[in-house]
Amino acid sequence: MRYLGFALKKRVFSGISYKKFVFTTYFSAKFIKLLVLTTLIIHTTSCSSTRIIYSLAEKFLEDEVTFFIDLDNEEEIRLTKQVKEIVDWHRNNMLPKYETYLRNIAEKLTKNQYSYTDITNILMYGRSLIEETVIGLTPFASKFLVEHQTVSDIDFLEKQMEKRRRERQEELSKPDNELYEIRENRLIKNFERFFGNLNDRQVILIKRYASETIDDKRVRLNNRTMRQKAFLEFLRTKPNQKSLMIYTNKLLLSGHEITNQGYRAFQDNSLVLFGKLMSDVLAVSSKMQQEKVVTKIRKYANDFKVFSG
């Protein structure tokens, strides 16, 4: 389920490589995932404070933007204000919806509604929440980016993107057996945060999933690289704010139409594999494990309710 779904998916298990934000296609996508996923405490071991997560998010977002965009002192002050506006918007507009979403998941689990179809429906609704978040955030992103379209701005951005891409490539250049072990351990660790100790059948299912999806990070990195290049090309046309917002929305929500038609099939298959994993793991879970999952999900929902109020 993507919050138990997004909670455990590759996005979770990669240690949330989504912890990177910048107001470009790369930036916005990372930011959105940071807020949608990190806010759900998916990759945090014991943090129960949504307020702390948001506080860390603001600082992190500012650091990431200043990594990719060369700002002067006055621009950094404006950035701090804009980041606060973004986080406030997300807290006030999206957290209540995440709260409702989590409560619905908990309710379904208490009724043993975790068939593959049940979970697929949950994942699809989770995807719609991400789309709503994207649409809500791109006006902020385009407002910021439209002020940074000089040749030197774009060249600096391109150089920093390439630097990050090489760092990621280096991480993925390890032998497959080592990458598999890392992925397997992360998956198990994150499932255990919700389920507690896993039984043998659950571990087998997770290991199989880790093996089936071992190349996913490379596929995503390649796709991200293509989208970044497309975004830079568009930015060089010096679009106005509205055009920038429309293009960013399309690149983030249906970027395969711009850069790589085959990527949509990869996304859909990824959803199928993860939905099957969740359904199978829940099917062999104990009553105690299910109660633990429900309790944790409801706790996060309560955190969201308090903080969004």
Side-chain angles (χ1 to χ4, degrees):
M1 310 158 128
R2 237 170 211 171
Y3 299 134
L4 198 189
F6 275 142
L8 299 172
K9 194 168 169 41
K10 170 258 162 189
R11 305 164 171 172
V12 151
F13 302 128
S14 64
I16 303 213
S17 56
Y18 309 152
K19 297 191 295 190
K20 320 226 188 227
F21 161 76
V22 245
F23 288 86
T24 72
T25 166
Y26 179 64
F27 305 164
S28 298
K30 296 297 181 187
F31 174 51
I32 289 159
K33 290 165 184 173
L34 173 70
L35 289 182
V36 178
L37 306 180
T38 306
T39 303
L40 294 170
I41 323 295
I42 293 170
H43 70 293
T44 334
T45 4
S46 59
C47 179
S48 61
S49 173
T50 307
R51 187 177 301 275
I52 290 176
I53 293 295
Y54 267 90
S55 175
L56 293 174
E58 288 190 34
K59 177 64 168 62
F60 187 86
L61 301 185
E62 289 186 41
D63 288 346
E64 285 295 283
V65 173
T66 54
F67 174 82
F68 286 93
I69 300 179
D70 192 17
L71 304 177
D72 59 30
N73 290 338
E74 185 177 333
E75 289 171 328
E76 287 187 7
I77 291 172
R78 289 206 304 271
L79 171 64
T80 298
K81 182 176 183 243
Q82 285 183 300
V83 167
K84 185 179 185 308
E85 289 174 357
I86 289 170
V87 173
D88 286 345
W89 173 86
H90 185 268
R91 184 182 65 245
N92 295 326
N93 291 275
M94 297 310 300
L95 274 193
K97 296 179 181 182
Y98 299 160
E99 177 208 344
T100 300
Y101 182 55
L102 291 178
R103 292 193 191 284
N104 288 340
I105 291 176
E107 184 65 20
K108 285 181 178 295
L109 288 181
T110 59
K111 296 178 180 178
N112 295 323
Q113 295 177 357
Y114 47 76
S115 68
Y116 172 73
T117 300
D118 293 325
I119 291 179
T120 298
N121 290 336
I122 289 172
L123 293 176
M124 293 304 295
Y125 186 67
R127 178 181 281 181
S128 75
L129 283 180
I130 288 185
E131 292 175 355
E132 186 174 350
T133 305
V134 170
I135 293 169
L137 291 177
T138 47
F140 295 99
S142 59
K143 180 180 177 181
F144 181 85
L145 274 172
V146 78
E147 299 176 356
H148 299 277
Q149 300 184 74
T150 67
V151 172
S152 60
D153 283 333
I154 297 172
D155 287 347
F156 183 82
L157 174 58
E158 185 174 28
K159 182 184 73 173
Q160 297 301 87
M161 283 182 169
E162 176 64 14
K163 182 177 179 180
R164 277 289 172 86
R165 185 181 69 82
R166 289 186 181 280
E167 290 173 356
R168 190 65 177 140
Q169 280 183 322
E170 185 176 348
E171 292 174 14
L172 296 176
S173 66
K174 298 174 182 176
D176 280 354
N177 63 328
E178 187 174 340
L179 291 174
Y180 171 79
E181 185 176 353
I182 292 171
R183 183 163 176 73
E184 175 193 316
N185 290 337
R186 283 179 176 168
L187 282 163
I188 290 174
K189 183 178 180 182
N190 281 281
F191 267 96
E192 286 179 339
R193 288 172 183 163
F194 282 83
F195 287 79
N197 293 331
L198 300 173
N199 60 48
D200 291 343
R201 287 179 294 177
Q202 290 170 328
V203 171
I204 290 172
L205 290 167
I206 292 169
K207 287 184 175 182
R208 183 177 66 192
Y209 174 82
S211 178
E212 291 173 339
T213 57
I214 189 63
D215 289 327
D216 282 12
K217 290 183 181 179
R218 294 188 180 102
V219 174
R220 289 191 172 96
L221 177 60
N222 181 58
N223 183 69
R224 183 188 309 154
T225 300
M226 288 191 286
R227 291 192 184 191
Q228 288 174 355
K229 289 179 178 178
F231 184 82
L232 289 169
E233 288 176 10
F234 182 74
L235 206 57
R236 288 189 173 99
T237 67
K238 299 188 183 305
N240 60 32
Q241 184 176 339
K242 182 178 179 181
S243 297
L244 189 54
M245 180 181 68
I246 292 172
Y247 185 83
T248 304
N249 272 333
K250 183 172 183 179
L251 195 62
L252 291 172
L253 298 178
S254 52
H256 60 281
E257 296 177 4
I258 298 174
T259 61
N260 180 10
Q261 290 286 341
Y263 190 70
R264 185 51 187 261
F266 167 81
Q267 290 179 305
D268 291 342
N269 185 58
S270 176
L271 194 71
V272 168
L273 290 176
F274 184 67
K276 189 173 187 311
L277 173 67
M278 286 304 306
S279 177
D280 290 346
V281 168
L282 284 165
V284 296
S285 61
S286 67
K287 184 69 175 175
M288 184 179 297
Q289 283 179 322
Q290 292 179 18
E291 289 173 353
K292 183 179 178 66
V293 170
V294 169
T295 298
K296 183 153 290 193
I297 290 175
R298 284 175 172 163
K299 178 180 180 299
Y300 294 157
N302 289 334
D303 284 348
F304 296 162
K305 180 178 182 180
V306 171
F307 191 55
S308 64

